Structures are given as structure tokens and as C-alpha cells.
Amino acid sequence: VAASVASGPNVGATFAGVTQAADTTYTTSYTPTAVGTDAVAITLSGTGISGSPYASVVSASQPSAANTTATVPAGAVGVATSIGITVRDVSDNPVNGQAANLAVSVTGANPVTAPQPTDNGDGTYTTSYTPTVVGTDAVAITLSGTGISGSPYTSVVSAGPPSAANTTATVPATGTAGVATPIVITMRDASDNKVTGQAGALAVTVTGANSATPVVTENAADTTYLASYTPTVAGTDDIAIAVNGTPIGGSPFTSVVGPGTVAGLAFRVQPSTAVVNTPISPPVQVAAVDNWGNVVTTFQKQVTLVLANNPTGATLSPQPARQQALQGIATFSNLTVSLVGTGYTLDASAPGEPGQATSAPFDIVAAAPGSPASSTTP
């Protein structure tokens, strides 16, 4: 008598020697290691006996915690962390029907007991939990009270997707021409955790007196994002900040840009052609300006005018031609020139300020006959 596994998952298995009992029966055995259906062939003197081959359905043996494994991925706040478990027996065959014997508990940043795993019918089981806090979780998995291979597993939880509603920014209410205006943004997810690595999700746009699209960079030292722009025009800017196209709370922010420091004087209203001995109109104005031409409104010094190009040797009145600046502008309402001439210019200066400003050329013409100015013209 001889026996063998002719086909099936355990083909080629080794049988024990055939023994004869007192009742003229014969016994042999083999130990299957794989789940499935074996075809057991039995021969007598080389010829298959009646019914051979016989079918033997092999099922898994008792589940083994040591051979059971799991997959636990890194997590994200607000997103379910899916846990996959494969229960196996001592021969590494998948074992069904073990959902009730499995338990999953989480400690660390997000302590929780995960729902009872679901049996997928193929030796695998699934469950999940949704973290709410950034940090590191330890996921312990037991089978009938015994920790499975690799337990506890580590899951590093990062912040969830950025939330425009929870993202904030600090924008200075005032700026200065020629000085960078810093913008500090703190991006957070829906659970108010700081979000890192998402500079590309932020967009900053400046409109108003100045136009700019600042580049956003991440400050890893304090998990904030930084942007800046340097205004050159005094006025009011609107600074819009968006996360993935959605405005954050408080956007757009307002920044009122003031002028820089005085760089010199400039004629705000140039002298125009005037009748001899008659006030130049509109009145000449001289302003203190910064490097970008903004009027420096804090300037209050006296500004003095003199004839620079004076082709006729005329006299400029009043003498001296001097006015106190108000809000950065000196206005000369009663300037007159005593002689008819072409191509006069004015120089403006102020004590302690660099250089002087020269006006555009202007002419002084004769008064019409019979007018009051004609009677005083030399």
C-alpha cells in the first residue's frame, strides 16, 4: 500500500510509513501546510484502489499572533488612518473569522480605541481611526490578547489640509516708501494645527498705491510663512492673502504707506509766464520729496526762492522770497519779477537739505497798454 498527494496545495507531501493494525487495516498520515483541497492517491501494488484519489479539504489551523501582521500608514489630521491586518496560522496561511479576537488601541498624540476590525473574508481585516492632533501615535494590535508581530506600530500624524478660515496673517498697518513691508502668515488646518510644507498653497497680492506679487517662503524655525514687498508710492495698499484660492480671515489687509526721508526739493507747481510786476499764477509750489517723489508731509522748514537764470538783472519780490512749508509744501502766492525777459529760472533751497531744485524756464511779458501793471514797468 502506498499513499501520496497527487495534486493540490500540498502535492509532494511526505507520508509516514504504512502500519498494519490487528484488524488488517492500514494507517498512514501526512501533515499539510497549505490551505486548499488535496487529491490523495492510494495504490495497492501500484494500482489505484477504489475511489482513489480521495479529496481532502485542508483549512487553516489556529491563528498565530506571531505570524499575524499589519500595515499602519502615517496619518493626517482630519483624515481617516486605514489599518490593514492579515491573520495567519503557524504555517502562514490566512485565517478567517477572527475579527472578534482582534483589538486595536491607539496611544500617543491621539489616544483612542479603534472600531472592531471588519473581516474581509480572505484572512485580512480592516479598521481605522481619525487623528485630530499632530504628533506620533503608537498603534497596538492584539490577537486574543497577544500582541501581533511588530506591535505597537508607529504612525506619524501630520497636519491636515490647510484651512483658509483658520489661517491668519500679521500685516503692518503702516508702511514706508523704500522700506520692506513684512507679512507673516500662520497656516492652520481645520483642527487649528499648524501646517508646514504648503508655501505653494499661499498667494499674496498687493494692489492700491503699489502693485506687487510677493513670493512666499516658509520659515521652518517657527512654522510660519513669510512674504514682503517694498512700496515706493505713498498711499493705501490692499494686501490680499489666499489659501488655494480662498481668502483667509481679514483679507484684504490695509497698509497705509507713508513717504520716506527727505531726499531733496522739487517744484510741485512750476512758474508760468506772467506779466511783469504781477504775481505768477498759479502760485509756485515747492515740495520736500523722498527718493521716489513722494511729498514728505512732516517737512516744515522754510524754503527760499532766488532767480537763478536772470537774463535782465531783474528783481524777484518779495525779498527775500521765503515761505514756511506746510505738510511738506511751501506755496509762494505773491511772486513777481520786475523786468520783461525770456528764460528765467528759479532755484529753491532749504536749510540743512541736500542740494537745491531748479525750476523750468519761464517768461515775463509786458503788460497790455493801460493796465495797472504797465504803469509800473521800468
Side-chain angles (χ1 to χ4, degrees), residues 13-367:
T14 300
F15 278 76
V18 177
T19 59
Q20 181 178 357
D23 60 357
T24 70
T25 59
Y26 297 83
T27 302
T28 187
S29 66
Y30 77 103
T31 302
T33 59
V35 172
T37 301
D38 290 339
V40 181
I42 303 174
T43 62
L44 178 62
S45 300
T47 301
I49 68 172
S50 176
S52 179
Y54 295 85
S56 176
V57 178
V58 180
S59 59
S61 62
Q62 291 299 308
S64 164
N67 282 14
T68 296
T69 57
T71 301
V72 181
V77 169
V79 180
T81 299
S82 180
I83 300 169
I85 306 168
T86 302
V87 177
R88 299 181 184 276
D89 63 15
V90 292
S91 297
D92 229 24
N93 298 293
V95 182
N96 297 330
Q98 296 299 310
N101 296 323
L102 289 168
V104 179
S105 62
V106 182
T107 57
N110 298 276
V112 68
T113 299
Q116 198 67 37
T118 299
D119 190 338
N120 298 319
D122 59 357
T124 65
Y125 303 78
T126 54
T127 186
S128 67
Y129 77 101
T130 301
T132 59
V133 179
V134 171
T136 300
D137 289 340
V139 181
I141 303 174
T142 59
L143 176 63
S144 299
T146 302
I148 70 169
S149 176
S151 179
Y153 294 82
T154 297
S155 179
V156 178
V157 180
S158 59
S163 163
N166 284 10
T167 296
T168 57
T170 301
V171 180
T174 58
T176 302
V179 179
T181 297
I183 301 165
V184 180
I185 305 167
T186 302
M187 194 188 305
R188 298 181 183 274
D189 63 15
S191 298
D192 224 28
N193 300 289
K194 287 186 175 181
V195 179
T196 60
Q198 292 291 321
L202 286 167
V204 180
T205 306
V206 180
T207 57
N210 297 273
S211 296
T213 306
V215 174
V216 179
T217 59
E218 185 170 0
N219 181 8
D222 62 359
T223 60
T224 60
Y225 297 84
L226 305 177
S228 70
Y229 76 103
T230 301
T232 59
V233 180
T236 300
D237 287 341
D238 290 325
I239 302 172
I241 303 174
V243 174
N244 291 324
T246 301
I248 70 171
S251 178
F253 299 84
T254 298
S255 179
V256 179
V257 179
T261 58
V262 176
L265 302 177
F267 279 85
R268 182 179 174 92
V269 176
Q270 295 281 355
S272 56
T273 298
V275 173
V276 67
N277 289 321
T278 300
I280 298 172
S281 182
V284 173
Q285 288 187 334
V286 178
V289 295
D290 62 16
N291 281 322
W292 297 272
N294 300 296
V295 176
V296 181
T297 55
T298 56
F299 179 84
Q300 296 183 9
K301 294 181 180 180
Q302 283 193 332
V303 177
T304 300
L305 293 181
V306 297
L307 283 168
N309 188 48
N310 187 356
T312 65
T315 299
L316 180 69
S317 295
Q319 197 56 244
R322 184 175 296 151
Q323 286 292 332
Q324 183 86 27
L326 296 175
Q327 301 242 322
I329 300 173
T331 301
F332 297 83
S333 301
N334 297 303
L335 281 183
T336 64
V337 178
S338 63
L339 295 175
V340 172
T342 301
Y344 291 103
T345 60
L346 298 174
D347 275 352
S349 61
E353 300 303 332
Q356 58 188 14
T358 300
S359 73
F362 65 97
D363 300 335
I364 298 297
V365 298

